[in-house]
Amino acid sequence: MSLLDDPAPTWSSWDDLEGDALGCTKCALAAGRTQVVFGFGDRNADLVFVGEGPGAEEDRQGVPFVGRSGALLTRLIEGIGMRRDDVYICNVVKCRPPANRDPLPGEITSCRPYLEAQLDLLEPTVVVTLGNFATKLLLDTREGITKLRGREFPARGGTAVLLPTLHPAAVLRGGGPTLAQARADFVVVKRALARARA
Ligand code: URA
């Protein structure tokens, strides 16, 4: 099959995009999901968070970051004077990997067009990648999150900055010192947003 037979999908509306994502069976994760966890929040937001993939609670509710990691993410967002409803939150893969395993390369590749299309429709000015999977995918790097976190990288043709931070689940595991690092990264997020809005 040539590229002409199988053009890259494009979506010009949220409805079309979400409709296709909700019915997706492109990878094996579809068989194990309760529902597709497409994304949550303000579709006009200038700040977007990209996580890894839904966990058990997200799979049950159909909303990203609603479990323990989600509670922490919400606190970090509120810590910079915003509300969860003010931002947009989504994941690299939209269906829960079994037993919360890491998403496989083929699953990430299958799901990537949905994430790219979400970002195209959102046109954010600040993209925060939560943890290694989102950072490696969107920064096209093999560098680990501990080296990249808290730094700003030009993204989306210079129209946005990408800011990697620790995944909230890693912060929960790491305790006080990692929480301090995450808080510091969110201060950088706040400054980047203020600059973009000025
Ligand atoms: N972890 C993620 O990466 N995404 C979620 O939606 C929940 C937990």
Side-chain angles (χ1 to χ4, degrees), residues 35-38 54 90-95 111 114-115 118:
Q35 54 195 316
V36 173
V37 180
F38 177 69
C90 58
N91 282 305
V92 168
V93 295
K94 313 297 188 211
C95 298
C111 219
Y114 301 125
L115 175 60
Q118 284 174 306

Side-chain angles (χ1 to χ4, degrees), residues 36-112:
V36 173
V37 180
F38 177 69
F40 166 90
D42 182 353
R43 291 177 174 181
N44 294 309
D46 46 5
L47 173 59
V48 177
F49 291 88
V50 183
E52 179 180 318
E57 195 53 31
E58 289 78 17
D59 176 66
R60 207 175 63 75
Q61 294 190 36
V63 180
F65 283 99
V66 286
R68 285 186 65 227
S69 296
L72 175 57
L73 178 61
T74 302
R75 267 172 46 217
L76 288 165
I77 291 168
E78 289 171 356
I80 57 166
M82 297 181 74
R83 293 168 312 138
R84 195 181 143 93
D85 291 3
D86 299 331
V87 306
Y88 191 81
I89 306 174
C90 58
N91 282 305
V92 168
V93 295
K94 313 297 188 211
C95 298
R96 183 191 181 203
N100 296 341
R101 67 153 167 76
D102 290 345
L104 301 174
E107 295 161 355
I108 294 173
T109 302
S110 296
C111 219
R112 181 178 189 151

Side-chain angles (χ1 to χ4, degrees), residues 9-34:
T10 51
W11 293 276
S12 49
S13 79
W14 280 102
D15 282 352
D16 289 348
L17 171 62
E18 187 166 7
D20 283 357
L22 296 189
C24 183
T25 53
K26 283 198 293 174
C27 82
L29 294 182
R33 73 184 178 223
T34 307

